Amino acid sequence: MTEMIHKYPKVAKNEETKPFWDAAQEGRFLVRRCPACKEIHWYPRTLCPLCHKAETEWEEHSGEGEIYTWTVMRKSPTGPFALGYVKLDGGPHVYVRFRDGVTEGLEIGKRTRMVFDRISDEDVYLFADLA
Amino acid sequence: MSIKRKACIAGIYEYPLRKCPDQSIWQLHAAVADGALKDAGLSWEDVDGYFCGGDAPGGAMAMADYLGLTNQLTHYDTTDTGGSSYVMHVGKMAEAIVMGKCKVALCTLAGKPRTAPPTPRVPGAEQGFEGGYNGTPPNLYALAARRHMHEYGTTSEQLAWIKVAASTHAQYNPHAMLQDVVTVEDVVNSPMIADPLHMFDCCVVSEGGGAFIMTTPEIAKSLGKPIVNVLSAAQFLKGQAGGHGMDLTTSGLAVSGPKALELAGVTVDDIKYASIYDSFTITVLMQLEDMGFCKKGEGGKFVQDGNLISGQGRLPFNTDGGGLCNNHPVNRGGMTKVLEAVRQLRGEAHEKVQVPNCDIALVTGIGGTLTVRHGSAAAILERG
């Protein structure tokens, strides 16, 4: 696990997203797919935000994707960090922060994977890393 | 039913200070309201409509109470789509007047983010999945700039021309926070904040605020001020759409902008002056494309070589210095965009930046966060 240098707030979980965070503790990346339109969306919601025809279902995703856009925030008291949008394989674009320390070698189209890093005794949080 | 020429902006006021350590937020709202009413030649007793955004603590109910407007308002509206709220309110105030809900509508914005940071917006359902990332305006708008450069070859030098134009105008505004004229080199050599956005690609963080008054054409004509008609207004929300259809090179103004033009019955060729929301240089560039001043991807070419400078280019923009140099109170630039458009239409802009024969002006707003979810708004105003 990467040592956390930034302070992260307590993760805002709710009844609808609890399964995501439970799986995250085991390092599994869950997304929701709609049985009607067959699409995965992001962030996870029960009623499909794309077709509104059905309740979506959890499924595990490889977490693999590629960079759609990125930036490195230089003005940060705890050092630079990277943010971006990653396009998940077969799925949606996800707004995500890169794992602490990953600020070099970022390019549009580069392969990525989702990771969960521990940010407190209770919580892990979702980050991207270069594949 | 149309709002076209059925409501007029009759009074405006911009607070002169950019840092207000000795004033309360409420006091600033009252001061700008009073200034706008005096400018219009109307009194507090005339106000029967009040409109505000998320900068007003407690919303319209609490603010109206502080302002001494309870027991006289027949219409009130708190709408928060960040800095675009006040451009959107142009349309909502006109609609309320046309519908007979009120006759004299007041809209205020005020705050002091440098000395009393505003309460963060109550987060939505996205909070669990975004709240920990420390996404802030500079790094989130940088995501759009990066993608625009990737898709269209837009350069930092082209973006810099937007700041150069704003600074060229700001030198004539004695209240502007930044009054020095800068060059393209100054912008691209300023410190990198969030690649590829430099410090000079970002707007100022300022305190103070502004207000405007809208009323019926009959009342406006009785006041003896130059008439400024509302021709149209439109709005459009754009966001992640479940992560599908992601296009960070286009703003919601691609829908609300053309809609506003259509409702006004004008084209971009009729626009003599434009107040373009300028939280960042990239915000301006994308909106110019989305409005149709040039094709998507050609914004870089459109803005370069001084094309946004009054007296020099095709489209004089933000002649008060804009958010980039003059004022972006409470991190919300929509109010000051309305105010400078009114000055231009009245012929009251600084003589060095006044657009000759300025009969039609555009005002735009992008509020919230361009690359995550934002409310876009466009309003078209006309000299009466």
Side-chain angles (χ1 to χ4, degrees), chain B residues 196-254:
Chain B
L197 294 181
H198 302 79
M199 183 189 285
F200 287 1
D201 287 299
C202 309
C203 68
V204 300
V205 177
S206 56
E207 306 194 331
F212 62 96
I213 308 285
M214 196 181 292
T215 189
T216 65
E218 294 72 29
I219 293 174
K221 279 171 194 150
S222 74
L223 299 172
K225 278 266 179 184
I227 298 294
V228 173
N229 290 318
V230 178
L231 289 186
S232 70
Q235 60 199 56
F236 189 74
L237 272 181
K238 187 161 191 271
Q240 296 172 347
H244 289 256
M246 180 65 54
D247 173 12
L248 293 192
T249 63
T250 302
S251 77
L253 203 67

Side-chain angles (χ1 to χ4, degrees), chain B residues 5-325:
Chain B
R5 296 196 183 96
K6 290 178 182 165
C8 306
I9 298 182
I12 57 167
Y13 185 78
E14 182 173 0
Y15 202 72
L17 303 182
R18 302 294 177 263
K19 197 170 183 192
C20 309
D22 301 325
Q23 292 83 6
S24 81
I25 293 170
W26 296 270
Q27 183 182 353
L28 292 169
H29 276 271
V32 295
D34 195 57
L37 283 165
K38 285 197 170 100
D39 180 61
L42 289 163
S43 68
W44 283 89
E45 294 72 41
D46 297 318
V47 177
D48 58 359
Y50 177 62
F51 294 72
C52 64
D55 58 287
M61 186 161 66
M63 189 55 74
D65 187 66
Y66 174 86
L67 294 172
L69 289 174
T70 44
N71 301 2
Q72 71 184 64
L73 297 180
T74 54
H75 196 69
Y76 32 89
D77 181 325
T78 314
T79 300
D80 197 16
T81 53
S84 64
S85 306
Y86 320 90
V87 182
M88 203 163 81
H89 275 329
V90 169
K92 299 180 79 171
M93 292 160 84
E95 288 158 15
I97 287 167
V98 170
M99 296 299 287
K101 293 181 174 184
C102 57
K103 284 192 164 65
V104 174
L106 162 70
C107 179
T108 66
L109 161 109
K112 32 191 290 172
R114 295 161 68 87
T115 49
T119 311
R121 197 173 297 134
V122 176
E126 76 285 352
Q127 177 71 0
F129 298 94
E130 300 177 2
Y133 291 149
N134 205 18
T136 56
N139 56 45
L140 292 172
Y141 282 66
L143 298 176
R146 168 83 58 203
R147 189 68 200 183
H148 204 282
M149 289 176 169
H150 174 79
E151 289 194 26
Y152 301 112
T154 306
T155 66
S156 290
E157 286 75 13
Q158 289 173 326
L159 288 176
W161 270 108
I162 296 166
K163 170 76 171 186
V164 169
S167 76
T168 302
H169 298 148
Q171 67 180 310
Y172 303 112
N173 182 349
H175 301 299
M177 199 158 159
L178 307 175
Q179 295 178 18
D180 292 339
V181 178
V182 301
T183 65
V184 168
E185 290 69 31
D186 291 335
V187 179
V188 299
N189 291 328
S190 64
M192 188 67 85
I193 301 294
D195 317 36
L197 294 181
H198 302 79
M199 183 189 285
F200 287 1
D201 287 299
C202 309
C203 68
V204 300
V205 177
S206 56
E207 306 194 331
F212 62 96
I213 308 285
M214 196 181 292
T215 189
T216 65
E218 294 72 29
I219 293 174
K221 279 171 194 150
S222 74
L223 299 172
K225 278 266 179 184
I227 298 294
V228 173
N229 290 318
V230 178
L231 289 186
S232 70
Q235 60 199 56
F236 189 74
L237 272 181
K238 187 161 191 271
Q240 296 172 347
H244 289 256
M246 180 65 54
D247 173 12
L248 293 192
T249 63
T250 302
S251 77
L253 203 67
V255 177
S256 53
K259 183 74 176 171
L261 291 170
E262 180 197 330
L263 291 171
V266 302
T267 72
V268 287
D269 295 333
D270 298 312
I271 305 293
K272 303 282 174 43
Y273 164 80
S275 279
I276 306 287
Y277 199 91
D278 58 345
S279 46
F280 297 89
T281 52
I282 184 64
T283 324
V284 175
L285 186 126
M286 283 170 55
Q287 290 175 91
L288 292 170
E289 295 172 346
D290 295 338
M291 279 304 305
F293 286 107
C294 60
K295 287 185 189 155
K296 179 54 65 182
E298 295 183 359
K301 275 187 210 153
F302 184 83
V303 301
Q304 68 189 18
D305 302 325
N307 205 29
L308 301 178
I309 298 175
S310 187
Q312 183 177 331
R314 144 74 185 99
L315 186 68
F317 103 121
N318 300 8
T319 42
D320 59 338
L324 288 167
C325 296

Side-chain angles (χ1 to χ4, degrees), chain A residues 20 27-31 42 59-61 63 88 114 116 126:
Chain A
F20 177 88
R28 294 186 299 122
F29 177 59
L30 298 190
V31 294
W42 186 260
E59 71 176 41
E60 196 166 334
H61 189 279
L88 290 179
M114 294 300 194
F116 290 101
L126 178 67

Side-chain angles (χ1 to χ4, degrees), chain A residues 8 12 21 39-42 44 50 68-75 81 83 85 92-93 95-97 108 125-126, chain B residues 128-135 139-140 142-143 146-147 150 192-195 240-244 246 248 371:
Chain A
Y8 292 93
W21 297 110
E39 295 283 356
I40 303 168
H41 68 272
W42 186 260
L50 304 174
Y68 169 80
T69 186
W70 62 276
T71 186
V72 174
M73 181 61 173
R74 309 280 171 185
K75 196 179 177 187
F81 64 90
L83 290 176
Y85 271 95
H93 291 77
Y95 162 51
V96 68
R97 177 163 164 157
I108 290 174
Y125 207 52
L126 178 67
Chain B
F129 298 94
E130 300 177 2
Y133 291 149
N134 205 18
N139 56 45
L140 292 172
L143 298 176
R146 168 83 58 203
R147 189 68 200 183
H150 174 79
M192 188 67 85
I193 301 294
D195 317 36
Q240 296 172 347
H244 289 256
M246 180 65 54
L248 293 192
T371 55

Side-chain angles (χ1 to χ4, degrees), chain A residues 1-55:
Chain A
M1 188 193 92
T2 316
E3 189 184 344
M4 292 293 115
I5 48 173
H6 296 280
K7 289 236 187 265
Y8 292 93
K10 188 171 167 52
V11 178
K13 304 171 188 176
N14 60 44
E15 300 81 352
E16 200 176 359
T17 61
K18 185 175 181 298
F20 177 88
W21 297 110
D22 288 347
Q25 293 280 358
E26 301 163 4
R28 294 186 299 122
F29 177 59
L30 298 190
V31 294
R32 289 190 77 105
R33 186 186 294 278
C34 175
C37 71
K38 313 293 184 197
E39 295 283 356
I40 303 168
H41 68 272
W42 186 260
Y43 52 92
R45 278 154 270 193
T46 304
L47 181 64
C48 177
L50 304 174
C51 75
H52 305 97
K53 287 198 172 75
E55 292 200 350

